[in-house]
Amino acid sequence: MKLNQFAIMPVTPEQERIEMEQIQMIHERDLALPPVPFFHQLLINSFPEARTLNSGEERIAGLMATPEQNALVYLRTHDTISQQVFFNLYLQLLGFSPERDFSLNEPLAITPTVNLPAFTSSELNNNDMLHGWYQLLVTHNTTGQTFLDDLTSRGYFLAMVNNATVKKPIIFNGKAQAVYDTTQLIREVVYVESAQDTDHDGQRDLLKVEITRPLESNSHPVPTLYTASPYNQGTNDEAGEALTHDVTIPLTEKPAVNNTVADTLPTNRVVPAPRKVAGLTQTAEETMGNSFDYSLNDYFLARGFAVAYASEIGTKDSDGLRTTGDVEETIAATAVIEWLDGKRTAFTNRTDNVEIKAWWSNHHIAMTGRSYLGTLATAAATTGVDGLKTVISEAAISSWYDYYRENGLVIAPGGFPGEDADVLAEETFSREKQPGDYHRIKAKWQNALNQMTLDQDRTTGNYNAFWDARNYRKDVANIKADMLLVHGLNDWNVKPKNVGKLWQAIRDLPIAKKLILHQGPHVYINNLRSVDFTDMVNLWLTHELYDVDNHAETILPNVLIQDNAHAETWRVQEDWLAPENPETTFHFSPDTLSEANDLQPVQLGFSDQLPTKIFHYYAKHWDQWQTALVDDSNAMLAGHRLIFKTAKRAEPLIIDGHPNVHVRVAVNQNIGLLSLQLIDYGRFKRLTTSPVTLAGQTMDLGYHFKKESLREFELTRLSNYQLISKAHINLQNRDGLTTTKTVSPNVFYDVDIQLQPTHYNLLPGHQLGLIIYATDMEMTVRGNQPLFYTVDLKATNLQVPHLRH
């Protein structure tokens, strides 16, 4: 177990004392007590569930001070507090078990695992213990929360929550504390009027927004965490499944063109006049029951933040049509920000035109969310909209082409062959869930959906005007909000290219920007034990939305990366994909990758076409196809891909960047595609592919409030390989994304292919491998055509960027 913490704010001893008094852990008079009574008081205050002295002392007696004495006996028989005793109790309060997790005789041996204070004396005075207790409060325990958050969940702040004289928010170690009453949260619904009419009914679209805010926001303004979620009002899974495209189709030749985005899409942005306001109120007419939520947002409700969820255009109880990522969705997302910032109108219902303002908002807004939710946050940021102070986007799309296409090919997001922009639009068009509303709009929706199917162009896979309109990276220069980007290095749904290219695009912008890369797929990480993600976000948001000068922009690492080779290990870097990273070039010979460049000319080939029975089997069992693809001893795929491996490494190689392959290839027809996978070979224990649940409903989000399960990646998965990166390209796009050229049969072409960006720790004893193949059963079209590819190994190489040794 390693409790990595990156959000602890260094403070002076005087500031420690002030903050300890502010949260009533000590009072000024306590500092005059002798050391043992002072320590006794700290211990009593650390059991808020005990309402009497006797009850508190019973809990103290449950701790061991030495191998022979419990803490209460020790306090009654000693007049000094030793470092050893202090640390023994410190660790037990964090949840560590004596003699199992640490030795009562040598508690300091656990130092590499947990944050421990440093003392200069073997016997502690009150100032020492005050400092030590402050460090205890900000240190993570074995259930993934700071000790102060643990105390909070047991009622520590209850008296302050109910005390109207307590000035809120309360900031401790630079972070907002849970002193807001979650038993009296206000839940209300408003309808924001957006500057668009996507369903062309002659009225501006109304957007349903569901708000949860603290009761205290009635007396002082609060910041808002805003999540735009097209899934919030439900999805049409069966309709989406019915619309999913067949991928068992042949690859076809496409016309040669010099610029695939030369044509522009027609625009029809007629915006009607705003509704006439018929009245003004501060009281919402509608509330809501259980709705979509995100536990990270829930965590901040107790800390004085409001939370707003908006479902976007074309969703249940809102107007408009779904458009999957274009400017209309961005306009809708920013409309809610503008209302929260006091610059746009919202109504209490959809018909009476009674305006309601966000009068409780302090006009400081952050956008949060994963996947589509984080995508809309990224889109909103690229407008430079006022009021949006920061974006915390997780697994977000920065260009929709990089989600559904790649290098001139139709490419599925991992696990969803046949999905496309139109399918996602249909799945999220939850207006269908209201038959009366859907009846009015059905014909318009079908026309719009048909047009989207045509414009997305699954025939060529080209980067065209449709996809150019869904590329947010073109507008990054407009970003004013500070950015916290989170992404999984093994996310084959929203592939790492999306965050990599965005990070490179914002690297030099005059904003604060941070990047966190984890080893998971398409998952949240706010409940991992090994990293203080929630604390990092708290430090960040307290700075961004409460204007607290807590130095979050310098305390938090610029780049934080979870190590793939060691459990619960996170590395700090100044940058990712740094252009100055050195590269190692590997050259090809049959079955082999080598740094030596003295190879003889050799050509190897492979057939893409599989026997019919095997093809249909693998088309339904992608996981088994992937295992067979990587296994060079698998007879079913022999002759259908080329595998090259280095010798077992003698020293580690930390890959950091875009691996690149230069390949000279010919194909026997006038069409062709190439796929690549970079592989870590060797039978070793590797991290679980997703976090495993360590304990259910263990992390408390507040007092008598919601809970979250504790999870972690564990180094327990014994496997023969690990996928590092991959790439795909249509050979007609060999000279660039927006240019298509003809392919002449059996003519060799030089093709440069950039793999997905990564950070990977390749350990000694492991082998680096590269697989060259064509059809990807999970991601490309599957025509099973009689295509035969020949690779000129002498003219082929692999460049691997890495950190300096």
Side-chain angles (χ1 to χ4, degrees):
M1 183 190 304
K2 297 178 184 177
L3 305 179
N4 303 284
Q5 292 192 248
F6 302 96
I8 296 177
M9 185 179 79
V11 296
T12 64
E14 177 62 15
Q15 187 62 31
E16 287 180 342
R17 182 190 62 78
I18 291 171
E19 292 187 16
M20 291 275 279
E21 289 182 2
Q22 185 181 19
I23 67 167
Q24 300 177 20
M25 180 60 68
I26 63 166
H27 298 86
E28 186 175 358
R29 63 180 181 272
D30 296 332
L31 293 171
L33 293 171
V36 170
F38 181 74
F39 192 45
H40 178 274
Q41 188 62 44
L42 291 174
L43 287 167
I44 285 292
N45 290 345
S46 297
F47 293 102
E49 61 270 54
R51 298 184 178 181
T52 65
L53 178 62
N54 285 344
S55 179
E57 289 191 334
E58 286 177 8
R59 283 159 174 77
I60 293 174
L63 305 173
M64 292 299 293
T66 71
E68 294 79 28
Q69 289 184 311
N70 71 45
L72 187 61
V73 171
Y74 180 91
L75 293 174
R76 289 174 175 174
T77 57
H78 290 73
D79 56 11
T80 61
I81 302 297
S82 69
Q83 272 198 45
Q84 179 179 334
V85 167
F86 183 89
F87 285 127
N88 283 340
L89 299 179
Y90 185 106
L91 293 172
Q92 288 171 79
L93 290 172
L94 291 177
F96 292 97
S97 298
E99 310 313 326
R100 187 185 69 190
D101 300 323
F102 73 98
S103 168
L104 289 167
N105 288 317
E106 294 184 88
L108 285 175
I110 202 174
T111 299
T113 299
V114 64
N115 172 58
L116 292 177
F119 300 118
T120 58
S121 174
S122 60
E123 291 187 359
L124 307 184
N125 60 32
N126 288 2
N127 288 332
D128 292 329
M129 287 186 283
L130 186 150
H131 168 67
W133 220 253
Y134 186 94
Q135 293 302 310
L136 170 65
L137 292 170
V138 301
T139 295
H140 264 219
N141 63 15
T142 58
T143 58
Q145 294 181 292
T146 65
F147 185 56
L148 184 53
D149 275 356
D150 179 44
L151 294 183
T152 300
S153 70
R154 292 188 275 134
Y156 181 82
F157 284 121
L158 191 57
M160 296 185 196
V161 168
N162 296 322
N163 187 342
T165 66
V166 172
K167 185 178 179 180
K168 301 174 182 178
I170 288 178
I171 309 299
F172 190 87
N173 196 241
K175 307 170 196 73
Q177 298 303 309
V179 293
Y180 290 76
D181 191 352
T182 55
T183 67
Q184 299 191 65
L185 293 171
I186 298 169
R187 294 175 172 86
E188 54 194 12
V189 174
V190 303
Y191 296 88
V192 171
E193 185 181 57
S194 185
Q196 59 194 145
D197 178 18
T198 57
D199 53 16
H200 309 297
D201 64 354
Q203 295 190 85
R204 293 191 174 200
D205 291 344
L206 292 177
L207 308 172
K208 182 180 183 180
V209 183
E210 298 176 324
I211 301 148
T212 305
R213 58 185 176 91
L215 177 66
E216 293 89 338
S217 62
N218 285 343
S219 57
H220 65 264
V222 298
T224 305
L225 304 186
Y226 160 43
T227 302
S229 171
Y231 308 118
N232 195 8
Q233 299 297 322
T235 55
N236 308 310
D237 295 341
E238 291 185 4
E241 181 67 26
L243 192 60
T244 297
H245 300 274
D246 183 11
V247 296
T248 306
I249 58 174
L251 182 71
T252 58
E253 185 182 20
K254 50 189 177 181
V257 295
N258 292 325
N259 185 3
T260 59
V261 291
D263 296 331
T264 59
L265 295 177
T267 57
N268 186 18
R269 292 218 73 252
V270 177
V271 182
R275 291 167 174 79
K276 292 183 178 180
V277 174
L280 180 65
T281 183
Q282 287 190 344
T283 305
E285 288 187 24
E286 293 184 22
T287 185
M288 72 277 192
N290 292 330
S291 63
F292 172 90
D293 61 7
Y294 168 27
S295 61
L296 185 69
N297 288 351
D298 292 338
Y299 175 86
F300 285 98
L301 282 169
R303 287 155 178 80
F305 296 74
V307 172
Y309 293 101
S311 301
E312 276 280 334
I313 48 175
T315 60
K316 182 173 173 285
D317 296 328
S318 295
D319 294 329
L321 304 178
R322 303 295 303 129
T323 58
T324 308
D326 74 345
V327 66
E328 298 294 352
E329 285 200 331
T330 304
I331 291 169
T334 56
V336 177
I337 297 170
E338 291 168 337
W339 175 69
L340 291 166
D341 196 36
K343 297 173 182 172
R344 183 161 293 283
T345 302
F347 301 104
T348 58
N349 63 38
R350 295 176 49 82
T351 56
D352 292 339
N353 294 353
V354 175
E355 182 180 4
I356 183 168
K357 297 182 181 295
W359 52 270
W360 44 265
S361 166
N362 73 352
H363 299 182
H364 283 37
I365 300 111
M367 287 191 75
T368 64
R370 175 178 62 91
S371 195
Y372 208 154
L373 290 58
T375 300
L376 291 169
T378 301
T382 61
T383 69
V385 61
D386 290 341
L388 182 62
K389 301 300 181 183
T390 188
V391 160
I392 303 172
S393 64
E394 304 181 56
I397 297 167
S398 61
S399 170
W400 284 85
Y401 187 88
D402 291 337
Y403 186 64
Y404 285 125
R405 304 288 186 272
E406 183 180 359
N407 295 321
L409 286 173
V410 174
I411 295 290
F416 300 96
E419 188 188 300
D420 215 322
D422 57 347
V423 178
L424 185 58
E426 173 62 31
E427 287 178 344
T428 56
F429 186 62
S430 53
R431 288 186 73 175
E432 291 185 18
K433 293 184 174 297
Q434 287 185 315
D437 180 38
Y438 181 51
H439 177 74
R440 295 187 302 107
I441 203 75
K442 183 176 180 179
K444 288 182 181 179
W445 170 239
Q446 288 303 318
N447 289 335
L449 193 61
N450 292 339
Q451 189 64 49
M452 185 181 296
T453 302
L454 179 66
D455 292 340
Q456 70 190 8
D457 181 17
R458 288 184 65 87
T459 302
T460 71
N462 284 340
Y463 183 89
N464 60 15
F466 177 90
W467 298 110
D468 194 57
R470 290 159 172 79
N471 183 356
Y472 308 127
R473 297 193 296 262
K474 298 185 306 177
D475 300 316
V476 293
N478 299 326
I479 295 177
K480 298 185 298 185
D482 294 334
M483 305 288 285
L484 175 56
L485 311 179
V486 184
H487 214 99
L489 289 165
N490 294 296
D491 188 345
W492 303 113
N493 184 330
V494 179
K495 302 174 188 69
K497 181 189 295 185
N498 279 279
V499 72
K501 287 189 174 182
L502 180 59
W503 177 252
Q504 290 173 309
I506 69 173
R507 180 185 277 128
D508 297 325
L509 290 182
I511 59 172
K513 76 280 290 187
K514 305 293 178 183
L515 173 65
I516 300 175
L517 299 172
H518 59 84
Q519 289 298 324
H522 203 59
V523 297
Y524 285 117
I525 64 166
N526 58 295
N527 58 354
L528 293 187
R529 181 178 64 187
S530 66
V531 65
D532 58 338
F533 179 75
T534 301
D535 298 345
M536 295 170 71
V537 173
N538 194 345
L539 190 77
W540 184 259
L541 290 179
T542 300
H543 168 71
E544 297 282 344
L545 303 190
Y546 274 130
D547 291 327
V548 173
D549 187 16
N550 59 14
H551 311 292
E553 71 280 9
T554 57
I555 291 173
L556 299 181
N558 287 338
V559 177
L560 183 63
I561 305 179
Q562 185 184 17
D563 191 275
N564 61 279
H566 303 92
E568 301 183 287
T569 301
W570 295 77
R571 311 290 187 189
V572 173
Q573 292 186 189
E574 282 302 307
D575 199 1
W576 180 52
L577 313 180
E580 63 270 18
N581 280 352
E583 286 188 346
T584 296
T585 299
F586 295 91
H587 302 275
F588 289 72
S589 62
D591 304 327
T592 302
L593 286 174
S594 171
E595 294 182 44
N597 189 17
D598 56 356
L599 308 175
Q600 299 301 311
V602 176
Q603 294 181 356
L604 292 181
F606 65 94
S607 170
D608 189 41
Q609 190 173 48
L610 293 170
T612 302
K613 185 176 181 179
I614 295 175
F615 169 77
H616 287 299
Y617 179 80
Y618 280 144
K620 294 179 180 179
H621 301 92
W622 319 316
D623 54 342
Q624 295 183 41
W625 164 81
Q626 174 65 34
T627 300
L629 179 79
V630 176
D631 182 3
D632 50 9
S633 66
N634 184 283
M636 295 174 73
L637 288 186
H640 297 286
R641 78 293 198 233
L642 301 177
I643 300 179
F644 306 89
K645 298 179 185 178
T646 65
K648 293 181 179 179
R649 290 199 61 82
E651 57 185 22
L653 178 70
I654 301 180
I655 303 170
D656 189 280
H658 292 274
N660 289 275
V661 173
H662 177 84
V663 58
R664 182 169 292 171
V665 64
V667 62
N668 64 337
Q669 295 189 32
N670 61 354
I671 55 172
L673 66 92
L674 280 185
S675 298
L676 305 169
Q677 289 192 13
L678 192 66
I679 301 293
D680 166 14
Y681 278 102
R683 188 161 182 78
F684 296 97
K685 284 186 177 180
R686 294 180 170 89
L687 293 180
T688 50
T689 54
S690 292
V692 299
T693 299
L694 303 177
Q697 300 294 295
T698 300
M699 301 175 69
D700 288 276
L701 306 182
Y703 178 62
H704 288 177
F705 194 41
K706 299 181 180 181
K707 291 189 174 186
E708 175 73 279
S709 296
L710 183 68
R711 307 184 76 198
E712 189 53 64
F713 295 92
E714 294 190 331
L715 196 66
T716 58
R717 181 173 61 95
L718 186 64
S719 64
N720 294 321
Y721 74 93
Q722 172 73 47
L723 173 64
I724 301 174
S725 185
K726 61 167 56 179
H728 311 85
I729 191 169
N730 189 319
L731 293 182
Q732 288 195 255
N733 292 81
R734 60 189 178 274
D735 285 351
L737 179 61
T738 59
T739 301
T740 61
K741 292 193 170 184
T742 59
V743 171
S744 298
N746 301 314
V747 173
F748 279 94
Y749 297 101
D750 289 301
V751 184
D752 290 296
I753 310 171
Q754 188 178 73
L755 279 75
Q756 294 287 332
T758 190
H759 179 99
Y760 194 88
N761 188 0
L762 189 71
L763 293 180
H766 294 233
Q767 293 175 276
L768 185 66
L770 185 80
I771 305 173
I772 302 177
Y773 63 110
T775 297
D776 188 309
M777 289 294 178
E778 186 178 5
M779 292 187 177
T780 67
V781 294
R782 307 186 293 235
N784 204 34
Q785 294 156 275
L787 298 174
F788 189 88
Y789 297 84
T790 304
V791 177
D792 183 345
L793 300 189
K794 181 67 175 178
T796 299
N797 58 65
L798 163 68
Q799 300 95 36
V800 178
H802 54 83
L803 300 184
R804 297 184 187 277
H805 297 303

